[in-house]
Amino acid sequence: MPDFADRLIAPISTVELERRWLAVRAAMTERGIDVLVMQNSNEFSGGYVKWFTDMPAGNGTMTTVIMPKDDLMTVVAPGPFGVDVTPPANDPVRRGVKRFLASPNFMGASFTTALDNANVEKALEEFSGATIGLVAQGSMGYALADHLKRGKLGNATFVDATDLVDAIMVIKSDEEIAAIRATALLQDRAMRAAFEAIRPGIRDIEITAVAEYCMRVAGAEYGLLMGASSPIGQAVMIQPRHLQNRIIREGDQFVLLVETTGPGGFFCELGRTCVLGKATQSMKDEFAFAFEAQQFTAAMLKPGASCADVWNAYNDFMAQNGRPKENRLYCHGQGYHLVERPLVRFDETMPIAARMNIAVHPMYHSKDTYTWICDNFLIDENGAERLHTFPQEIVELG
């Protein structure tokens, strides 16, 4: 039997997992919910499975976690036919799990979903007639929710339990904050390594690969490395891998986003621009304004602040200074989700609170560049502390 304890990369402590389970079960008792069901399929928006089990959902295949109010969890995931086992009490991988079921299901072969759904139904047999809380139905497969409501559990009461979990998940513990700080510092190193590697004649993807290598060897498991080069005068925003084939030339600018986890699985994001030469004065002026816009936002991120109020004040600030109003998402929480609540926008109901990890990235197209700045901030009782240490400037490499 392999020693999986030696294979795990930066596992969260069992004490931390127990803190989460205890808090959720107390909230379930208060709400009259007997069991939670959640399902995720990827690392970027798979934070619920990760938060409850310390195991990522990944590779585009569904992992389902069933969390009873008064018992250990059951996990249903991809694997061989017929797996229905009880993990050992000291299993370092399946902590807090009493039962593990599997079947070989693949999203590219929809008929295989039936076996996965049957396993989830089997795990929920004792909850016929109970109150079942569904967590993040937007990330749950339609086939599963439809099957549960039409099948043997049709007489159960289904409720949305997403807010219950979110309210606990977004407030970070000391252990979580330490991991988030480590992620931010690792991204600082990755950004420096990438900018040091830039030279004419190589492709954009070779630069993002340098940043990714820096993150991976330090224990980061996944994330986004987005970048793009362009001549000064062309405002090209960050691009995914599929669009990173351009060859970098002397005098180009390069925009890079390092939006990855660190060891432990928590996301932060760092974004900067560099120039293979000298930045124009207008580039510097616009960056100075983007920095001011970030500072303007960070100053409003205090416990109790309304996200809608921050959004409206920011857009007023942009308009008053002759810049475009925001119509995307420029400020949001991060944790095990790449984008986590609260979202700073007009329809968010969750207020800012202490111990949240918030990314702030004003961005817009200006005359000769893609103007932006991106850093993470930790909210405390007095306001927002910047976690990244990378210089807040356009980096001139010439």
Side-chain angles (χ1 to χ4, degrees):
M1 184 91 178
D3 187 351
F4 283 102
D6 287 344
R7 297 175 184 272
L8 289 167
I9 297 177
I12 205 78
S13 73
T14 301
V15 170
E16 168 60 22
L17 288 175
E18 289 172 343
R19 178 196 71 82
R20 299 171 186 178
W21 301 334
L22 183 65
V24 168
R25 287 182 171 124
M28 292 169 68
T29 299
E30 184 177 331
R31 290 267 302 270
I33 296 173
D34 300 300
V35 62
L36 298 180
V37 179
M38 67 209 75
Q39 187 177 67
N40 292 146
S41 64
N42 66 86
E43 296 93 338
F44 301 99
S45 297
Y48 296 106
V49 165
K50 174 73 171 173
W51 192 78
F52 276 90
T53 69
D54 197 34
M55 287 292 290
N59 302 322
T61 51
M62 292 296 193
T63 297
T64 305
V65 174
I66 295 150
M67 171 76 163
K69 181 185 63 177
D70 301 314
D71 202 353
L72 299 177
M73 295 179 289
T74 295
V75 174
V76 180
F81 287 111
V83 172
D84 187 347
V85 299
T86 300
N90 61 346
D91 189 333
V93 177
R94 302 291 177 192
R95 289 174 289 170
V97 175
K98 69 173 183 179
R99 189 178 186 187
F100 178 76
L101 298 95
S103 66
N105 71 87
F106 306 94
M107 295 181 73
S110 291
F111 74 91
T112 64
T113 303
L115 286 174
D116 191 57
N117 292 342
N119 276 339
V120 176
E121 188 175 61
K122 183 190 300 184
L124 286 165
E125 283 175 338
E126 65 186 279
F127 294 102
S128 178
T131 297
I132 300 175
L134 302 179
V135 179
Q137 294 181 67
S139 65
M140 181 178 292
Y142 169 81
L144 174 62
D146 183 63
H147 181 80
L148 294 180
K149 293 177 180 180
R150 293 174 180 270
K152 298 175 182 178
L153 294 161
N155 61 338
T157 300
F158 291 89
V159 299
D160 188 340
T162 312
D163 284 352
L164 179 155
V165 176
D166 283 351
I168 300 167
M169 175 189 276
V170 300
I171 307 301
K172 307 300 189 255
S173 69
D174 287 346
E175 182 173 340
E176 292 172 321
I177 289 172
I180 289 165
R181 288 185 182 277
T183 299
L185 292 177
L186 179 54
Q187 290 176 346
D188 291 334
R189 284 166 41 197
M191 184 70 72
R192 291 189 185 96
F195 283 0
E196 288 171 1
I198 291 179
R199 65 183 186 277
I202 63 176
R203 295 172 299 150
D204 295 348
I205 197 167
E206 296 177 67
I207 303 306
T208 58
V210 169
E212 183 168 19
Y213 176 80
C214 185
M215 299 298 298
R216 287 292 184 95
V217 297
E221 296 178 53
Y222 38 86
L224 296 177
L225 285 301
M226 301 179 70
S229 61
S230 67
I232 289 176
Q234 294 181 13
V236 178
M237 65 184 298
I238 50 175
Q239 299 294 336
R241 284 191 179 96
H242 185 65
L243 296 173
Q244 291 180 7
N245 195 51
R246 184 181 182 275
I247 295 174
I248 299 168
R249 298 170 177 84
E250 188 65 46
D252 278 353
Q253 57 187 320
F254 189 89
V255 290
L256 176 62
L257 174 68
V258 180
E259 189 170 18
T260 61
T261 65
F266 290 95
F267 279 98
C268 289
E269 56 180 317
L270 174 64
R272 292 291 188 274
T273 299
C274 71
V275 180
L276 281 72
K278 298 295 182 182
T280 66
Q281 188 58 49
S282 65
M283 289 175 67
K284 294 178 180 179
D285 292 344
E286 290 300 329
F287 184 89
F289 177 79
F291 171 76
E292 184 181 353
Q294 187 192 62
Q295 296 300 107
F296 178 83
T297 299
M300 292 187 286
L301 299 179
K302 297 179 179 179
S306 158
C307 287
D309 288 349
V310 175
W311 168 270
N312 290 329
Y314 175 79
N315 274 329
D316 288 345
F317 171 81
M318 295 294 281
Q320 289 164 8
N321 285 277
R323 268 70 172 196
K325 288 188 175 183
E326 184 60 74
N327 60 6
R328 300 176 64 253
L329 180 64
Y330 88 104
C331 181
H332 57 85
Q334 289 192 302
Y336 286 141
H337 295 297
L338 184 145
V339 174
E340 178 180 274
R341 294 184 71 189
L343 311 185
V344 172
R345 53 189 240 180
F346 61 89
D347 53 354
E348 174 63 87
T349 58
M350 179 183 287
I352 302 297
R355 293 182 167 267
M356 287 180 171
N357 173 34
I358 307 287
V360 186
H361 47 78
M363 53 181 65
Y364 59 94
H365 286 89
S366 52
K367 181 180 68 174
D368 52 5
T369 191
Y370 171 62
T371 297
W372 74 323
I373 185 172
C374 179
D375 298 88
N376 279 75
F377 293 80
L378 177 68
I379 311 305
D380 62 24
E381 288 74 12
N382 300 312
E385 171 200 354
R386 186 168 75 101
L387 296 178
H388 291 101
T389 63
F390 195 89
Q392 293 184 296
E393 62 187 20
I394 296 176
V395 177
E396 296 180 325
L397 302 175

